[in-house]
Each structure stands twice: as C-alpha cells, then as structure tokens.
Amino acid sequence: GITPAMLTGDAEPVARAVCAAVGIRAPPRAGVAPSEKLLAIREWAKAGPVAMVGDGVNDGPALAAADVGIAMGVQGTAMAAEAAGVVLMTNDLRKLADAVVGARRCTRVMMVSVAVALVLKLAPFAFMAAAGADRYLIVVAVASDVLGIAWVLLAAMSLLHIKPRYAASPCGANDTVNTELTPAKEDDAPGPGKAAPPSPAAAAVRV
C-alpha cells in the first residue's frame, strides 16, 4: 500500500537511472527546487499520509510538511534532522521497509491484545449471569485480570524478537566515509597535475 516516488534537484537522466536501479516505478520529479518539493508533498498529502526521506538543507521544508519526516542522520545536515520527526542513523534505506513491517506488526498485536482482554473480561461475567453463579464473582474477576495481563505481556514480549526482513544482510552504503570527520592524507592532497577527489556529498543523489 506504499507508493515510492523521487523528488530530486538532479537532472532527469540521473533520477531515472536511480529509479530504475532501486525499483521505483513512479516517474521522478527531477530538477525541482525546495519550494517545488514542498508543493509536491502538499499535493500528495491530499490523497493520504505522506512520508518524506531527505538529507539536505533543501529537504527541510518538505520534511516538516510531511506526515512523517525521515532524515538521514549519518551524512545528512542538521537542518534536515531538526525538521524531521525521525532520524535514520544509517545509510541503509532498507531499514525503512523493516520499520514499516514492524509498525504494522505492533498495530496487529495491539488490536489483538485489546480484543482478547475484552473477551477475558466480559465472557466470564456473561457465563456467570447465565449460570447464576454469583458466589464466584471475586474469583472470576481476579482470574480474568491475571489472564488478561499475562496475555498482554506475552504479546508485547513477542515484539522483542522482530528480525529484519529487508536489511538482514550488510549494506555497502554504511561504509561511506564522512569527509568532514576523516582528515585527508598527504598523498591525497591535490597538487599540480593531480585532481581533487570528489566529495561524497557532491556525488550523492539527493532524494
């Protein structure tokens, strides 16, 4: 039920190549300015909840306007992290899919726990009223409470064993080095006839 799309300031050929590589079927919106990203988020929000993933200063307004703003915290900017509601402390975007799966499982467990607790609370009293066994009222009340608490605790503990489905294998994107934290070696310094190495920020595609 989730439709991914790309908003980027890069050229359209680059955006289409990235979409083809990661499996995004929706046509990308390339060459967009920060204000155009904001308008796109507001447009999509009319049809339903929208989540925005970004890492740059240009993504700040769109992250703040989205229902769920997710900032890339490893090499993202501080402005993007402040505007977002969630900071992904990794470069592995597959963890977003695992987060959606985990959130849906938590919702199912919560709904089942509420239903079971109501049944354990009401069914014994209905049986007592039909059988006329009023003298067991206290015993039934305590037993239903204990069973309900035990069920809720066991269901909640089952969520601790959620394993990643999509990010089970290591991601090579986490090996990216942040040039702001790693000093350049003397041999890597640009000199006569030697080109400066490209920065990861310039080579990365801003989505």
Side-chain angles (χ1 to χ4, degrees), residues 139-159:
V139 176
V140 171
V142 174
S144 63
D145 285 340
V146 172
L147 290 176
I149 293 173
W151 175 274
V152 172
L153 290 178
L154 291 175
M157 291 175 61
S158 68
L159 298 176

Side-chain angles (χ1 to χ4, degrees), residues 7-207:
L7 296 172
T8 177
D10 288 321
E12 186 171 353
V14 177
R16 291 188 177 275
V18 173
C19 288
V22 300
I24 298 179
R25 298 180 180 179
R29 298 191 181 186
V32 294
S35 58
E36 294 173 326
K37 291 183 179 181
L38 178 59
L39 293 176
I41 294 298
R42 290 177 175 175
E43 176 185 347
W44 291 337
K46 297 178 181 179
V50 178
M52 169 72 181
V53 183
D55 64 346
V57 177
N58 296 337
D59 301 322
L63 288 170
D67 296 287
V68 180
I70 305 171
M72 303 294 294
V74 177
Q75 289 183 325
T77 61
M79 179 177 294
E82 292 178 359
V86 179
V87 178
L88 186 65
M89 300 306 297
T90 177
N91 288 330
D92 192 353
L93 290 176
R94 299 175 301 172
K95 291 187 178 294
L96 293 178
D98 287 332
V100 173
V101 173
R104 289 176 174 175
R105 181 175 175 181
C106 290
T107 302
R108 289 195 301 267
V109 169
M110 181 183 65
M111 295 177 64
V112 171
S113 298
V114 171
V116 171
L118 291 176
V119 170
L120 291 175
K121 198 71 174 178
L122 299 177
F125 290 103
F127 175 77
M128 287 174 51
D134 295 339
R135 61 180 178 274
Y136 299 110
L137 177 61
I138 297 178
V139 176
V140 171
V142 174
S144 63
D145 285 340
V146 172
L147 290 176
I149 293 173
W151 175 274
V152 172
L153 290 178
L154 291 175
M157 291 175 61
S158 68
L159 298 176
L160 298 176
H161 302 285
I162 297 179
K163 296 182 179 180
R165 178 185 302 179
Y166 300 98
S169 59
C171 178
N174 289 328
D175 298 332
T176 304
V177 179
N178 193 337
T179 55
E180 296 179 358
L181 301 179
T182 305
K185 297 180 181 180
E186 184 177 355
D187 296 339
D188 296 335
K194 191 175 182 180
S199 64
V205 177
R206 298 301 179 92
V207 179

